[in-house]
Amino acid sequence: MSKLVIVESPSKAKTIQKYLGKDYKVTASVGHIRDLPAAKLSVDIKNDFAPKYAIVKGKEKLVKELKGMVADSDAVYLATDPDREGEAISWHLATVLDLDINTKNRVKFNEINKTSVLKGMNSPEKIDLDLVDAQQARRILDRLVGYKLSPFVSQKIRRGLSAGRVQSVAVRLIVDREDEIRAFVPEEYWTIDAKFTNPPSKKTFTATLVSDENGKVKITDEKTAKEYFTRLTGASYTVDLVKKGTRQRQPAPPFTTSTLQQDASRKLNFQGKKTMKVAQELYEGMEIKGVGTMGLITYMRTDSLRISEEARNAGNAYIKQIFGDSYLPDKPRYYKTKASAQDGHEAIRPTDPSLTPETVKPSLTNDQFKLYSLIWKRFMASLMAACVQETVKVDIKAANEPDRQSGKYCIFSANGYNVTFDGYTKLYEVSTDEKEEKETDLPELKRNDELRLRSLDPNQHFTQPPARYTEASLIKELEETGVGRPSTYVSIVSTILAREYVVREQKQLKPTELGEAVVKLLKEQFPNIVNVKFTANMEADLDKVESGEVDYIAMLHSFYDGFDKTLEKAKNDMQGVKIQLDEDVTDIPCDKCGRMMVVKVGRFGKFLACPGYPDCKNTKPYVVKTDAKCPVCGGNVIEKKSKKGYAFFGCDNYPECKFMTWDKPTNELCPYCGKSLFKRKGGLLVCLGEGCGFEKKAERKKKTKTEE
């Protein structure tokens, strides 16, 4: 007989099997084997919220096979992922397979390599029932809110809608941001920008008017801008001040789940779901040529910045060997984890820092290589010395002869820097969603240098509203406000997109009319459900359940008893009330009754429906026409959506004509063959007509001052 090890992933099972050898049999549960059935509430509210679990549909055969394996084994070890969800899976397995809960049969691996796996197998623990309770509490909370609140929202707005405990808060954040954008009143301001050279150097640099003899300059209208422009006619420009300094830029800490998803979005254009899928593959392990089977990164669901001294020493040794002693800081750098963090696992890092991305590239898919490179570089950079920069601030005095006589002058300012030691930037640069203040690469300048003016331009600007959330910035906001946890960010974003409460435009998240209606209803009737602080406090309470400080049944009562009363009150207050959504009326008549069809939004996106429902139930697919004609058959080119929600374009004669393209249709025609031109990324206009090949750069429309 052998020893049985149960994990949740087949690929993880394959990796661990190679480490443990023939005395062990490693198998997978493929996630949860038991859960709350979806067909009903499955929570006995009157009996202290007792959950009514059942075997997941389709896994009956697997459970039978697992029971047979248990009967044939000397010992059983549960090696699911080292977090709440993994602990719950182990507990369900132990319960269904009749394993003793008090036996030390739970093993955990923060990283999957031979050393860590053998160490974990030699140090089994009991199942942590506090972690299980925390997972059960979250599952029951979400079920109560979803199954109790969703019917109310559906009845008041539209059939088939749902509301979630954490997802509703995320939608509210996006709606609130949209309200800020609508309410924003732009303010006009002007800048006077000059370009200079310092002969004999031909290098051009830019400076901006910042002050005059009366102090700081603020230009709010075109008239004042023209006055300054006139005043500077014929002026001479002299370097008045050169101030040099030194600054150090420190590296970012290694990744947490949140920062990994943010950086993968900005740098790799990965959506959160894709990032976590690829990270899971890197964690679970694969065959690495010349090395063997191993996991390449530590566990990827974490909010901690802690790293082991063993990993630090291995990373430092590599940096010293490749870059030299000067690339290590004088003292090791320790990053402080947030007080609210669970700190259950290390930060995300490579399991073996000596395995560079290029070393493992032949063994990885393209996506795996990109993400591993990001994780490896961020970790190694976090150990390295700071980047040292020499900063330069230059003030340029400008005055024409009359002003000089009367003591009047203007000051232009330019800032720049040059890197004196690259430090960690040799490997990695942090990216953000915010626009950073630009600094000019300045030539060597000295006080009293006479500069040559190349151009002087008054430029109109308007203050900008706050930007819409991207997936990256929303995850950052959720983390900073304490809403959700590392394991939930992906499901939050995926759910609100799938429910059509939010749409993705380029990278930005924009609320739909439906999303705004749901948030408005919840804010009015269930303010706590969409209250950021209330939801964050509940997350903190779940953490207290995990640490054994709070009883999870008491926690459920503290939420549900008030929620149930609020729900009953809302039902009474809104009896007979139905919220009407604005519907776009089209010029397309209904085939059955002749009414003009309206645009509606369903589970699978927009569709056309007859406004005569329920008397007339006719529906049609919603088609977005473009100005272009199909280069193959001459049909209309229409916009379509891929399964992942990306827009592409195809012929409306499909399936007879299978033309499709990712290039954007235009209303311009090819001068050679007369067919429609399509615009590619980068602004290239191309003809897709067979055998034509015409292409040209798109003319950039010059913005007016108002448009800028």
Side-chain angles (χ1 to χ4, degrees):
M1 295 177 80
S2 63
K3 297 174 183 178
L4 179 66
V5 179
I6 305 176
V7 299
E8 71 273 65
S9 160
S11 58
K12 186 176 172 182
K14 185 179 177 183
T15 303
I16 294 172
Q17 181 70 70
K18 292 187 178 181
Y19 297 145
L20 298 181
K22 61 182 181 180
D23 292 335
Y24 290 84
K25 178 174 179 58
V26 185
T27 191
S29 67
V30 196
H32 280 278
I33 61 165
R34 198 172 69 147
D35 199 1
L36 300 174
K40 51 189 176 181
L41 180 63
S42 304
V43 176
D44 188 347
I45 296 172
K46 294 180 180 178
N47 188 23
D48 281 338
F49 308 101
K52 299 177 181 179
Y53 293 115
I55 301 300
V56 174
K57 191 174 180 180
K59 287 197 172 181
E60 296 84 1
K61 183 180 177 183
L62 174 62
V63 169
K64 187 176 180 180
E65 291 172 353
L66 288 173
K67 285 182 175 180
M69 292 181 198
V70 169
D72 293 338
S73 301
D74 292 323
V76 179
Y77 295 95
L78 305 170
T80 51
D81 283 349
D83 58 10
R84 285 180 192 167
E85 208 66 32
E87 206 73 17
I89 292 173
S90 284
W91 177 71
H92 285 301
L93 283 166
T95 305
V96 172
L97 301 177
D98 295 322
L99 303 178
D100 187 353
I101 295 293
N102 295 311
T103 300
K104 290 186 176 182
N105 60 0
R106 174 76 168 112
V107 292
K108 299 178 183 179
F109 317 123
N110 185 53
E111 50 192 313
I112 300 180
N113 53 37
K114 191 168 186 178
T115 302
S116 297
V117 168
L118 295 180
K119 183 180 177 182
M121 293 299 297
N122 289 328
S123 308
E125 307 167 357
K126 292 181 182 179
I127 290 175
D128 189 332
L129 295 179
D130 288 333
L131 247 72
V132 174
D133 285 348
Q135 190 275 344
Q136 286 196 100
R138 176 184 285 281
R139 190 79 182 91
I140 293 168
L141 272 173
D142 291 343
R143 178 56 66 96
L144 290 171
V145 173
Y147 279 52
K148 289 286 186 176
L149 191 54
S150 295
F152 176 79
V153 174
S154 296
Q155 184 186 44
K156 298 305 170 189
I157 299 179
R158 195 181 68 202
R159 213 170 34 163
L161 297 183
S162 59
R165 185 180 62 85
V166 181
Q167 294 91 335
S168 297
V169 177
V171 180
R172 184 204 172 142
L173 288 170
I174 294 167
V175 170
D176 285 353
R177 178 61 58 86
E178 197 69 19
D179 288 340
E180 287 180 59
I181 293 169
R182 291 187 188 120
F184 182 81
V185 179
E187 293 182 7
E188 180 183 8
Y189 70 98
W190 289 70
T191 58
I192 309 291
D193 302 311
K195 289 185 179 178
F196 300 107
T197 56
N198 184 25
S201 170
K202 294 182 180 179
K203 189 173 187 177
T204 303
F205 68 97
T206 302
T208 300
L209 175 66
V210 293
S211 62
D212 60 16
E213 68 281 353
N214 296 315
K216 191 174 180 181
V217 165
K218 184 179 181 181
I219 307 174
T220 57
D221 54 51
E222 186 175 12
K223 181 186 174 194
T224 309
K226 285 182 177 179
E227 287 172 358
Y228 274 104
F229 186 77
T230 302
R231 177 176 165 178
L232 289 163
T233 302
S236 58
Y237 298 85
T238 307
V239 176
D240 189 57
L241 171 72
V242 178
K243 186 178 179 180
K244 293 188 177 182
T246 302
R247 69 182 177 198
Q248 290 191 350
R249 286 180 57 202
Q250 301 294 337
F255 282 129
T256 61
T257 304
S258 167
T259 53
L260 175 63
Q261 290 175 11
Q262 291 171 48
D263 229 39
S265 172
R266 295 184 189 111
K267 291 189 171 182
L268 306 179
N269 206 25
F270 282 11
Q271 292 180 14
K273 191 172 183 180
K274 180 176 182 178
T275 298
M276 296 310 289
K277 175 181 177 292
V278 176
Q280 183 85 35
E281 294 165 358
L282 294 172
Y283 164 71
E284 291 180 346
M286 58 213 52
E287 185 71 26
I288 306 298
K289 292 177 183 176
V291 177
T293 302
M294 68 178 295
L296 288 177
I297 64 169
T298 52
Y299 193 55
M300 63 284 155
R301 293 185 181 91
T302 178
D303 52 14
S304 175
L305 299 178
R306 172 174 48 86
I307 60 170
S308 70
E309 288 304 308
E310 182 183 2
R312 181 187 301 279
N313 294 335
N316 287 345
Y318 179 86
I319 292 165
K320 185 175 180 180
Q321 177 189 348
I322 301 301
F323 302 111
D325 286 334
S326 62
Y327 280 85
L328 287 172
D330 295 334
K331 292 181 180 179
R333 190 182 289 105
Y334 291 88
Y335 298 95
K336 189 176 180 181
T337 298
K338 288 183 180 179
S340 60
Q342 294 173 282
D343 198 24
H345 310 288
E346 288 186 58
I348 304 169
R349 61 167 176 82
T351 54
D352 183 352
S354 68
L355 289 178
T356 66
E358 292 303 324
T359 301
V360 300
K361 186 176 183 179
S363 306
L364 305 181
T365 65
N366 191 40
D367 287 342
Q368 289 170 346
F369 170 72
K370 287 179 181 178
L371 196 64
Y372 180 69
S373 296
L374 202 63
I375 293 167
W376 185 89
K377 288 177 180 178
R378 173 92 165 212
F379 170 72
M380 298 301 287
S382 74
L383 302 176
M384 295 174 73
C387 171
V388 182
Q389 299 172 343
E390 182 186 72
T391 60
V392 184
K393 181 181 184 299
V394 176
D395 284 351
I396 300 157
K397 201 169 198 178
N400 55 30
E401 192 56 39
D403 281 352
R404 195 176 290 108
Q405 295 295 329
S406 59
K408 293 182 177 181
Y409 59 86
C410 292
I411 296 292
F412 285 77
S413 186
N415 294 288
Y417 72 91
N418 60 74
V419 176
T420 56
F421 177 65
D422 53 4
Y424 75 92
T425 62
K426 201 171 190 76
L427 273 184
Y428 179 86
E429 280 282 8
V430 179
S431 58
T432 66
D433 284 329
E434 289 77 33
K435 291 182 180 178
E436 297 181 2
E437 190 175 333
K438 291 184 179 179
E439 293 180 299
T440 304
D441 185 14
L442 299 175
E444 188 63 36
L445 297 167
K446 302 188 299 297
R447 194 168 187 274
N448 296 323
D449 280 354
E450 293 288 335
L451 304 180
R452 180 176 295 168
L453 180 68
R454 291 297 186 188
S455 65
L456 185 68
D457 299 300
N459 291 306
Q460 184 188 37
H461 310 272
F462 290 92
T463 54
Q464 297 298 309
R468 288 191 179 114
Y469 284 108
T470 61
E471 184 172 334
S473 62
L474 179 63
I475 288 170
K476 183 180 179 182
E477 182 73 14
L478 293 172
E479 182 188 39
E480 289 180 350
T481 54
V483 175
R485 286 297 181 262
S487 60
T488 64
Y489 299 138
V490 168
S491 65
I492 290 170
V493 177
S494 299
T495 300
I496 63 178
L497 285 165
R499 289 176 179 169
E500 294 281 347
Y501 295 157
V502 173
V503 292
R504 200 192 302 269
E505 291 187 355
Q506 302 298 324
K507 280 190 171 185
Q508 295 183 327
L509 300 176
K510 181 182 177 183
T512 60
E513 183 195 354
L514 181 60
E516 296 197 46
V518 170
V519 167
K520 185 174 184 293
L521 175 64
L522 294 179
K523 283 171 79 171
E524 290 173 353
Q525 301 296 330
F526 304 91
N528 280 344
I529 292 294
V530 286
N531 183 289
V532 173
K533 286 186 179 179
F534 180 82
T535 306
N537 288 337
M538 287 193 67
E539 293 292 350
D541 287 344
L542 287 169
D543 292 343
K544 289 176 183 176
V545 171
E546 180 175 320
S547 62
E549 298 173 56
V550 172
D551 176 72
Y552 91 93
I553 293 175
M555 184 235 173
L556 290 172
H557 272 294
S558 68
F559 166 76
Y560 184 76
D561 294 350
F563 168 73
D564 190 44
K565 290 177 183 176
T566 304
L567 180 59
E568 286 305 312
K569 183 177 183 300
K571 286 179 179 177
N572 291 330
D573 291 348
M574 296 191 71
Q575 197 165 7
V577 176
K578 179 84 172 177
I579 297 171
Q580 294 296 324
L581 296 174
D582 293 334
E583 294 171 337
D584 292 332
V585 181
T586 71
D587 57 358
I588 302 170
C590 173
D591 300 332
K592 296 184 178 179
C593 70
R595 294 182 178 94
M596 292 302 172
M597 302 193 85
V598 296
V599 179
K600 288 184 175 285
V601 181
R603 291 182 59 193
F604 305 105
K606 292 181 179 180
F607 65 96
L608 296 178
C610 180
Y613 181 89
D615 298 329
C616 179
K617 298 179 180 179
N618 186 30
T619 62
K620 284 184 175 182
Y622 178 73
V623 175
V624 179
K625 292 182 180 179
T626 72
D627 294 329
K629 295 293 183 182
C630 174
V632 176
C633 73
N636 293 316
V637 173
I638 60 174
E639 182 179 325
K640 299 185 176 184
K641 293 277 186 176
S642 69
K643 288 182 179 178
K644 293 186 177 180
Y646 292 105
F648 68 97
F649 303 92
C651 182
D652 66 354
N653 289 328
Y654 181 86
E656 288 76 17
C657 177
K658 292 184 170 56
F659 169 77
M660 71 78 58
T661 180
W662 295 101
D663 301 328
K664 192 172 182 178
T666 73
N667 56 8
E668 293 191 48
L669 301 177
C670 175
Y672 293 166
C673 67
K675 292 183 177 178
S676 294
L677 293 179
F678 292 77
K679 190 175 183 179
R680 288 194 174 148
K681 283 185 179 179
L684 192 68
L685 290 177
V686 297
C687 179
L688 301 180
E690 187 176 355
C692 181
F694 172 78
E695 59 181 45
K696 73 168 184 176
K697 280 192 175 181
E699 291 182 15
R700 294 184 63 183
K701 179 189 172 187
K702 191 172 182 180
K703 289 185 177 180
T704 65
K705 289 179 180 178
T706 303
E707 287 175 326
E708 289 175 353

